[in-house]
Amino acid sequence: MTRPEEPAGGVGPLDGALSALLDRFRSGQRMALARAISLVEGERPGFDAFLHAALVAGTRAARVGLTGPPGAGKSSLVAQVAAHYRRQDQDVGIVAVDPTSPFSGGALLGDRIRMNDLATDPGIFIRSMATRGSMGGLAAATREVMDLMDAFGLDRLIVETVGVGQTELEITGAADTVVVVLVPESGDSIQAMKAGLMEIADIFVVNKADRPGADRVAKEVTLALHLRAGEALRDVPAHHGVDLRRLAGGERGESGDDGGGPVVGEPMDQAVPEAPGWEIPVLKTVAQNGDGVPELIDAIASHKKYLDESGELEGRRRRRAGARVVDVVERELGRRVWGAAGASAILEDGVERIRRGEATPYSVASQVVDNLIRHGL
Amino acid sequence: MGHARARPAILPDAIILVWLHLRSQGIAATPNTEILMERKIRVLVAKPGLDGHDRGAKVIASAFRDAGFEVIYTGLHQTPEMIVSAAVQEDVDVVALSVLSGAHMTLFPRVLELLREAGADHMLLTGGGIIPEEDIEALAGLGVGRLFGPGTTTTEAVAYIREWSERQPQDLVG
Ligand code: B12
Ligand SMILES: Nc1nc2c(ncn2[C@@H]2O[C@H](COP(=O)(O)OP(=O)(O)O)[C@@H](O)[C@H]2O)c(=O)[nH]1
Ligand SMILES: [Mg+2]
């Protein structure tokens, strides 16, 4: 535990309590991971230095995100997928996000109800997070929490968003592979969905396939995907790239994309490797009994393979790192702007003057920024 | 705290320009830690054992949410091991059990013991349900917090947790 710390640039040193926490974190104590998550989630003093110290070794866990409308069965599927990875002896971290009530600031986090079978497994770590005002389907610190789980040594990370509509698409910034979960009742909204969830899915799942209508929805999604990709491209082998049926080692059985009929792909080795594409699979599952889950696991593995081979993983992670830096800078600057002496007074006074018609939000904002500069940050 | 909540969306682009400018001039930065997010009280609400009476637990869980707490609800049929494992992972401040089955004299001590073993004895163990007065006293002697019976107003339970929380050190990282 005497490993020298990487110079942290602007990030301050760890104080005694935090470096003790870091030691316990590094020695694998679950309570320490849990407390580190609270530290980071609450942006308590020293959280950034702690993150820096915990993450210098880099991150490596594969990250899957599940998103989709409320009640689609995301939590139930997460539990199934996690149980699968456990059977392969992989340690799994799960982050489940639920909304904060804008009225009380409180939250009812109920995703664990569906994950009870995993509750005492020492290879599983589940953390529920409230959005705390964040609008993108995740909490502000979700990615940092995943980073901590990663640094703690968990092999696989699964994140479940709040029940989302079309605009909560932050999941793409947190996961390598995005699974969009729909239900047989989603049929009517597929047209509307095109703009949002449709664009971010790497894999579609129609869950609750024990109910009528699953085939129809699977076909509609497949059709919509093909319309989007453009008919012309469909017959070019290069654009099929990875063929799931092959990679998954056989039949996907009743996995539901047979309707719109993607051409059964050319064998992988004949696909043009320099422009590999990913044909988004549309699968059917029953999260309650596990039907279709092995196919989902295979699809996630195939997608990971595609990401690795195409260089897309590298690209995604690089874009994510860049976006993260911008995020952190914005958050830190926000903190400083509003923490600078006099900022609150300028705001209060400014609001008054806006009300009287003597100022605009823009003039007041520039005063707030000037104030920060005057105080030399 | 008022302003932490009410602060408007910042102007990221303008501020980043300012920031980059100052950075390029080598002006030192000192982090400001004054504006912190309001510290949320996290509570695990669980129904241990085979007890299927979940109305009280649901009433209490919603009341806690409405009071601004973050409530992790695990549902029915929890073993003490499941409860403590969840409490640790969620880093809750409070573990709240609802017991109407009559098994409180085994469940509460067992959860307390497991919390201690897990290094989580900084958490408050409280709860409610059908629990006779003398048992409440006996459990209090072991270190269990207040227990609330039928007819409890949710405000009482909320106030109890708030007051307990205010007495705790606020920089819990150890
Ligand atoms: C409704 C009810 C049922 C319903 C439950 C429906 C449900 N989903 O909850 C049904 C019909 C299913 C049922 C079944 C049984 N019941 Co029943 N049931 C009741 C009854 C009439 C009311 C309970 C209730 O819902 N109250 C309303 C809620 C809001 O109040 P509450 O749970 O007490 O919660 C309040 C406080 O206790 C406190 N509180 C509770 N939990 C917590 C937790 C925290 C953290 C805090 C701060 C506060 C707190 O705050 C709440 C709000 O004020 C009670 C009698 C009674 N008057 O209490 C018997 C009672 C609880 N049942 C009893 C029994 C014996 C049974 C059965 C075994 C009967 C049988 N032989 O089949 C079965 C067992 C079922 C099972 N699997 O557990 C006994 C328990 C005896 C005991 N513990 O010694 C009771 C006391 C009746 C009696 N006098 O004999 N029951
Ligand atoms: N019939 C059926 N119900 C399911 C299935 N998967 C989940 N459910 C139920 O759907 C409800 C919502 O599930 P949950 O996993 O909490 O959904 P989430 O809100 O998307 O996380 C629960 O009552 C589940 O038991 C399924 O495959 N078939
Ligand atoms: Mg859920």
Side-chain angles (χ1 to χ4, degrees):
Chain A
M1 297 302 111
T2 49
R3 155 143 66 131
E5 302 307 334
E6 178 96 339
V11 183
L14 286 186
D15 70 20
L18 288 184
S19 67
L21 181 65
L22 184 63
D23 282 348
R24 296 197 295 126
F25 177 91
R26 285 184 175 152
S27 69
Q29 289 184 32
R30 293 157 75 79
M31 193 70 239
L33 170 57
R35 301 227 108 178
I37 290 174
S38 302
L39 173 78
V40 166
E41 186 183 26
E43 297 188 1
R44 295 179 200 162
F47 82 96
D48 44 2
F50 187 93
L51 268 177
H52 173 82
L55 299 184
V56 277
T59 54
R60 50 168 197 100
R63 302 180 181 201
V64 177
L66 274 79
T67 189
K74 297 180 294 296
S75 299
S76 313
L77 265 182
V78 167
Q80 290 280 358
V81 168
H84 244 269
Y85 290 136
R86 286 300 297 141
R87 270 175 244 131
Q88 301 167 0
D89 227 9
Q90 304 193 52
D91 290 346
V92 184
I94 298 171
V95 180
V97 188
D98 274 321
T100 293
S101 156
F103 303 106
S104 69
L108 200 48
L109 311 172
D111 295 312
R112 288 190 92 97
I113 296 174
R114 316 275 170 232
M115 304 180 190
N116 273 325
D117 291 348
L118 312 171
T120 54
D121 185 332
I124 297 270
F125 193 103
I126 307 171
R127 183 64 173 237
S128 310
M129 293 185 80
T131 52
R132 297 188 182 178
S134 220
M135 301 304 289
L138 299 178
T142 298
R143 288 172 301 180
E144 280 83 352
V145 168
M146 296 174 81
D147 285 346
L148 282 174
M149 289 181 166
D150 195 332
F152 190 72
L154 302 177
D155 306 305
R156 290 256 170 203
L157 303 180
I158 309 176
V159 54
E160 174 189 341
T161 69
V162 299
V164 298
Q166 295 161 42
T167 54
E168 299 91 343
L169 307 177
E170 252 178 28
I171 184 76
T172 51
D176 303 323
T177 300
V178 175
V179 180
V180 172
V181 184
L182 303 173
V183 285
E185 293 75 16
S186 305
D188 298 337
S189 52
I190 285 175
Q191 284 308 312
M193 204 182 68
K194 269 191 192 159
L197 291 180
M198 211 73 181
E199 308 289 335
I200 64 166
D202 298 308
I203 297 168
F204 271 103
V205 166
V206 181
N207 187 43
K208 306 198 184 182
D210 52 324
R211 293 199 197 156
D215 285 311
R216 191 177 49 80
V217 169
K219 278 180 189 166
E220 280 174 35
V221 173
T222 308
L223 186 66
L225 286 171
H226 280 133
L227 286 176
R228 193 177 60 124
E231 260 331 86
L233 299 182
R234 278 190 46 217
D235 297 316
V236 182
H239 285 269
H240 290 278
V242 179
D243 179 58
L244 266 185
R245 264 154 291 213
R246 248 188 110 262
L247 287 183
E251 280 303 304
R252 270 189 295 158
E254 35 180 276
S255 48
D257 69 341
D258 44 346
V263 180
V264 174
E266 309 289 333
M268 263 292 281
D269 38 77
Q270 288 180 23
V272 180
E274 66 195 37
W278 169 251
E279 178 140 353
I280 299 168
V282 183
L283 312 175
K284 290 187 295 180
T285 60
V286 182
Q288 276 170 333
N289 65 13
D291 281 2
V293 173
E295 288 79 359
L296 173 57
I297 299 281
D298 287 346
I300 293 169
S302 301
H303 186 252
K304 175 70 168 42
K305 192 164 188 285
Y306 153 76
L307 287 175
D308 284 340
E309 287 173 358
S310 64
E312 179 65 15
L313 186 64
E314 203 33 53
R316 281 188 191 199
R317 291 195 167 163
R318 200 170 300 167
R319 283 195 293 279
R320 239 154 53 193
R324 180 90 57 99
V325 172
V326 171
D327 267 10
V328 173
V329 168
E330 287 180 11
R331 236 190 292 164
E332 179 62 23
L333 282 176
R335 222 191 323 275
R336 289 183 194 196
V337 165
W338 298 111
S344 310
I346 295 172
L347 177 62
E348 262 161 50
D349 174 63
V351 168
E352 239 343 274
R353 287 184 300 119
I354 292 169
R355 199 184 57 80
R356 289 199 301 266
E358 297 163 8
T360 67
Y362 304 93
S363 62
V364 177
S366 93
Q367 277 185 298
V368 172
V369 174
D370 287 347
N371 176 64
L372 175 72
I373 298 170
R374 246 198 326 279
H375 287 83
L377 286 168
Chain B
M1 284 302 178
H3 276 296
R5 253 168 200 274
R7 74 182 187 229
I10 59 167
L11 299 167
D13 292 346
I15 295 176
I16 282 176
L17 287 177
V18 173
W19 164 263
L20 292 175
H21 175 71
L22 292 172
R23 259 287 147 102
S24 70
Q25 303 199 332
I27 297 173
T30 39
N32 181 300
T33 48
E34 248 162 337
I35 294 198
L36 293 173
M37 281 160 57
E38 186 172 306
R39 199 176 185 291
K40 297 282 181 194
I41 298 175
R42 286 170 69 87
V43 186
L44 180 76
V45 175
K47 287 279 317 167
L50 297 176
D51 183 6
H53 297 92
D54 62 356
R55 287 187 197 165
K58 284 179 172 163
V59 167
I60 289 291
S62 321
F64 284 173
R65 181 212 36 217
D66 295 342
F69 301 170
E70 287 183 355
V71 182
I72 294 99
Y73 184 61
T74 55
L76 294 168
H77 308 317
Q78 304 289 301
T79 63
E81 287 77 9
M82 290 162 86
I83 290 166
V84 172
S85 172
V88 166
Q89 291 170 27
E90 300 288 356
D91 189 24
V92 291
D93 305 291
V94 180
V95 177
L97 309 183
S98 178
V99 185
L100 283 77
S101 64
H104 48 270
M105 290 309 281
T106 48
L107 292 169
F108 278 96
R110 180 70 181 138
V111 169
L112 204 58
E113 180 188 345
L114 290 173
L115 283 173
R116 285 178 181 150
E117 278 173 22
D121 44 2
H122 55 278
M123 294 176 191
L124 169 67
L125 177 60
T126 177
I130 307 289
I131 306 172
E133 200 54 49
E134 65 266 26
D135 291 352
I136 292 183
E137 278 166 30
L139 290 171
L142 297 176
V144 176
R146 249 179 90 179
L147 301 177
F148 298 83
T152 307
T153 63
T154 53
T155 29
E156 273 177 82
V158 167
Y160 170 64
I161 289 179
R162 279 234 175 86
E163 281 158 23
W164 175 85
S165 170
E166 275 158 19
R167 291 197 306 271
Q168 305 310 304
Q170 285 302 290
D171 58 344
L172 292 173
V173 289

